[in-house]
Amino acid sequence: MIYAVAVFAPLIGALIAGLLGRAIGDRAAIGASITGMIVAAICGPLACFQLVGGATEPGVVPVATWIDVGHFHAGWALRYDVLSAVMVAMVSFVAMLIHVYSIGYMAHDSYPRYRFFSYLSLFTFSMLMLVTADNLVQLFFGWEGVGLCSYLLIGYWYDRPSACAAAIKAVIVNAIADLPFTVGIALTFMTFGSVEFATIFPAVAAHQADTYRLLGTTFPTLEVIGVLLFIGAMGKSAQLFLHVWLPDAMEGPTPVSALIHAATMVTAGVFLMARMSPLMEYAPFALGMVTVVGASTALVTATIGCVQNDIKRVIAYSTCSQLGYMFVAAGVGAFQASIFHLITHAFFKALLFLSAGSVIHAMSDEQDMRKMGGLWKLIPWTCTVMWIGSLSIAGIPPFAGSYSKDAIVSAAYASGTGVGMYGFVCTVLAAFLTAFYSWRLLFMTFHGKPRADHHAMEHVHESPAVMLVPLVLLAIGAVVAGMALDGMFIGEGWQAFWRGSIFVSANNHVLAAIEQVPAWVEYAPLVVGLAGIALACAMYIVSPLLPHRLATAFPGIYQFLLNKWYFDELYDRIFVQPAFRVAATLWKVGDATLIDGVPNGLAELATDSSRQVVKLQTGNLAVYAFSMLIGVVALVSVFLLFR
């Protein structure tokens, strides 16, 4: 079946490149990896079109019996419904373009390239396993798979301490979130007696009254499960408080950043909320938590992006912010709008990151925007596609981002709840900041006077065709994806399109209410977006000294934002340094003093004692006889005293 081919083709490419790459060489290994991705990029969308068009029916593609122990069963099968098929189509197509782009970007890399392409394909396969999982354990397998691959790719340049530190940070932060996620899976099994979606989803309504006792207090079981699953999603999708790993992940090669931010990993948490919609719909408190955290993330990370100077770091914070939008939609019950923005975001975010990579490639690996400017004449193709990506992320019609972002803002307002209104306010403010930092990036990079030295400007050049063609294709997606999918994803035909793959309860009328919101709500994202663009133009084109004056006039605010709200410093003081002190104590006391010290001390004592005993060996027969006599007297005395 072509659906299974789409899932496993990247794995075959990864195995050939990874296991045989040293023997067959970089060119052949890269060819195998790219071939697997091209096959997946053809089969994935084709399988999606067949399902959506009615040529095939939803179902499950069995692969193997995986875990069968007592009452615990977890098969290995591929879930084939619209939600999974849409994700497979997006992941396979966007990842394929990133693979092709990497041919040019990594052409002069000194590391073995077969290893890099093997990791990329394995990353893609892990994400495909996640989105096609038919049970929570299989989903967790893909979940941990993308985590492993992110570690390998973020730390790909392993001789750079910053890259190694970023890779470790990503693993640790995600592991913190994965612990509640695994507890949530265990509690799901305890409640439903299964981890299979086919068993869990139909039984959710029957377990509404179930309670779970924790810390002396009783909680609704479905709420506890929903919160635990969402905490896992917070880690993977870099939501507030667990977002600190994602900006540091920029230490990896730019194609890795594009793959993590656009097609894999960070979208896993959003997908999890949509997949578990039958359960989340019966957990209103958990959904409220999703909305508040998502809205706060959208706003807070947007403020940080406004002052960053690393071109990739600006785009990284925009990812955190846009993921916040997706969680706001899921939190108010508009799961379809959440996935809609996930799909459009995949196109314009991959476009932005790969365009940034093209700029870095042209500027001889320079990433500081303060050392750029005036590049639009030298790299016009890159400038054009990055403008398209920025127009899309800022929500300017008719670009793709405007359709999905406007739907989320309207859904938050239409929900009619307090947390929904909080989400509406935060997303509108974030829309203003998104437009501002996007055009700040454009103006600082491509326009104004060149700020790089003469030698650097002489070497600026446009990227080769192998890098530009994926950029153009992504730019087309960033233009047309919104128009093409709007009517099916959230319009009048959404029920026929999704075919029950996303659950909507009888009390959930958010998608219908989107059409009834006041006109000012619909136009609010566009108005604030244009205002953000105008402000960026005034500050970086009309009066380029104004940002410096503002930073000087308000140094506290500027440093607060530049240092990312001091999250890293706070975590270092609260968690990292105490952990180091505890580890040092355990090492010095537990390891050096007790574990090593006690045996070593006993051995030394025995050695010293043996030296003293040796002194008794005088060689004098009379002394030996006298010692034996004393011993006999002592033995007889003890016997007479204690008989």
Side-chain angles (χ1 to χ4, degrees):
M1 183 179 182
I2 60 172
Y3 190 61
V5 172
V7 174
F8 287 103
L11 176 62
I12 296 172
L15 293 175
I16 294 174
L19 300 178
L20 303 178
R22 188 183 296 274
I24 63 180
D26 278 348
R27 290 174 65 94
I30 293 172
S33 175
I34 297 295
T35 300
M37 288 309 309
I38 291 175
V39 171
I42 294 172
C43 294
L46 183 59
C48 181
F49 295 149
Q50 288 181 343
L51 181 60
V52 172
T56 56
E57 291 297 320
V60 175
V61 181
V63 176
T65 299
W66 189 19
I67 303 174
D68 191 357
V69 180
H71 297 290
F72 186 83
H73 306 282
W76 193 6
L78 307 180
R79 191 174 183 86
Y80 184 43
D81 61 9
V82 175
L83 177 58
S84 290
V86 166
M87 292 295 294
V88 168
M90 182 276 291
V91 171
S92 59
F93 182 73
V94 174
M96 180 272 293
L97 295 180
I98 294 172
H99 275 67
V100 173
Y101 175 95
S102 300
I103 297 174
Y105 190 86
M106 303 296 289
H108 304 293
D109 193 75
S110 59
Y111 290 74
R113 289 183 294 156
Y114 71 84
R115 183 163 56 87
F116 178 79
F117 279 86
S118 174
Y119 292 165
L120 281 186
S121 294
L122 185 61
F123 204 161
T124 306
F125 167 73
S126 298
M127 188 65 187
L128 292 173
M129 286 304 305
L130 190 157
V131 300
T132 58
D134 193 44
N135 60 71
L136 283 170
V137 175
Q138 185 183 339
L139 187 150
F140 190 70
F141 169 81
W143 192 271
E144 293 303 296
V146 295
L148 169 64
C149 292
S150 70
Y151 171 78
L152 296 173
L153 286 166
I154 294 169
Y156 174 72
W157 288 321
Y158 54 81
D159 60 349
R160 301 182 182 181
S162 58
C164 295
I168 293 171
K169 186 176 183 179
V171 169
I172 292 175
V173 174
N174 276 277
I176 292 171
D178 288 348
L179 178 59
F181 185 28
T182 55
V183 175
I185 295 175
L187 183 56
T188 301
F189 177 74
M190 290 173 58
T191 303
F192 296 95
S194 175
V195 293
E196 302 282 345
F197 296 143
T199 302
I200 296 170
F201 295 161
V204 170
H207 289 272
Q208 289 184 74
D210 289 7
T211 57
Y212 184 75
R213 191 166 182 80
L214 181 65
L215 300 176
T217 306
T218 300
F219 299 94
T221 302
L222 298 184
E223 295 282 14
V224 176
I225 294 174
V227 169
L228 291 172
L229 296 182
F230 174 60
I231 294 174
M234 287 174 62
K236 276 291 181 288
S237 295
Q239 292 301 281
L240 198 62
F241 306 117
L242 294 174
H243 69 287
V244 291
W245 69 270
L246 190 57
D248 288 1
M250 300 303 97
E251 292 293 338
T254 301
V256 175
S257 303
L259 195 60
I260 290 175
H261 288 249
T264 63
M265 190 126 176
V266 297
T267 61
V270 179
F271 170 81
L272 176 65
M273 293 294 98
R275 172 57 74 207
M276 299 303 295
S277 57
L279 186 147
M280 298 301 292
E281 281 281 71
Y282 289 95
F285 175 82
L287 285 180
M289 180 179 173
V290 173
T291 304
V292 171
V293 172
S296 302
T297 304
L299 182 57
V300 169
T301 54
T303 63
I304 299 173
C306 290
V307 298
Q308 300 302 305
N309 297 310
D310 185 306
I311 187 171
K312 289 173 63 177
R313 197 170 287 270
V314 173
I315 303 173
Y317 277 107
S318 80
T319 299
C320 295
S321 184
Q322 296 304 306
L323 289 166
Y325 274 88
M326 300 176 206
F327 280 108
V328 168
V332 298
F335 297 98
Q336 297 83 351
S338 177
I339 298 299
F340 187 20
H341 197 53
L342 185 155
I343 300 299
T344 60
H345 176 265
F347 285 102
F348 64 69
K349 186 49 60 69
L351 175 60
L352 288 171
F353 262 115
L354 297 186
S355 298
S358 184
V359 172
I360 296 168
H361 183 267
M363 292 293 295
S364 303
D365 296 329
E366 180 59 65
Q367 296 183 200
D368 193 334
M369 297 186 298
R370 294 171 296 184
K371 299 178 181 179
M372 299 180 187
L375 298 179
W376 72 273
K377 291 183 179 180
L378 302 175
I379 47 174
W381 280 97
T382 300
C383 178
T384 301
V385 296
M386 203 158 195
W387 265 83
I388 292 173
S390 298
L391 287 166
S392 187
I393 194 174
I396 306 300
F399 296 89
S402 65
Y403 290 88
S404 54
K405 181 183 286 188
D406 291 1
I408 292 173
V409 174
S410 297
Y413 181 88
S415 66
T417 63
V419 293
M421 187 56 63
Y422 175 76
F424 170 74
V425 173
C426 288
T427 52
V428 170
L429 293 175
F432 169 76
L433 297 175
T434 300
F436 172 77
Y437 65 63
S438 297
W439 261 258
R440 173 179 177 266
L441 183 152
L442 286 175
F443 293 146
M444 290 183 69
T445 303
F446 296 104
H447 304 284
K449 296 180 180 180
R451 294 179 297 279
D453 59 62
H454 180 70
H455 177 74
M457 294 300 294
E458 282 183 338
H459 290 82
V460 174
H461 57 282
E462 188 63 272
S463 297
V466 73
M467 295 171 65
L468 290 179
V469 170
L471 291 178
V472 171
L473 294 176
L474 288 169
I476 294 172
V479 174
V480 305
M483 291 182 285
L485 301 176
D486 180 64
M488 295 180 290
F489 273 49
I490 59 173
E492 294 181 357
W494 69 266
Q495 289 179 318
F497 176 83
W498 291 105
R499 301 174 71 176
S501 60
I502 294 179
F503 178 76
V504 179
S505 68
N507 298 323
N508 186 345
H509 305 291
V510 173
L511 287 185
I514 289 177
E515 307 298 330
Q516 310 299 323
V517 298
W520 68 269
V521 173
E522 294 184 7
Y523 288 108
L526 175 60
V527 172
V528 298
L530 293 175
I533 295 173
L535 180 60
C537 182
M539 293 180 64
Y540 294 94
I541 298 297
V542 177
S543 181
L545 295 178
L546 183 58
H548 177 71
R549 293 171 184 168
L550 289 174
T552 304
F554 304 99
I557 297 176
Y558 176 71
Q559 289 299 322
F560 182 71
L561 298 179
L562 187 65
N563 288 283
K564 304 159 290 186
W565 286 49
Y566 292 101
F567 275 106
D568 285 321
E569 290 79 2
L570 181 64
Y571 289 174
D572 183 70
R573 177 168 295 185
I574 296 176
F575 301 115
V576 178
Q577 293 305 320
F580 281 170
R581 287 193 291 270
V582 170
T585 302
L586 293 175
W587 162 49
K588 293 177 181 178
V589 176
D591 191 9
T593 303
L594 297 177
I595 297 176
D596 290 339
V598 171
N600 291 342
L602 291 174
E604 186 176 353
L605 178 62
T607 303
D608 291 342
S609 300
S610 66
R611 292 193 186 101
Q612 299 302 321
V613 171
V614 167
K615 295 178 181 179
L616 298 176
Q617 305 298 319
T618 63
N620 190 317
L621 185 62
V623 172
Y624 293 162
F626 180 74
S627 299
M628 293 175 62
L629 179 61
I630 295 300
V632 170
V633 170
L635 181 63
V636 171
S637 299
V638 170
F639 176 75
L640 293 174
L641 289 173
F642 296 100
R643 66 176 179 172

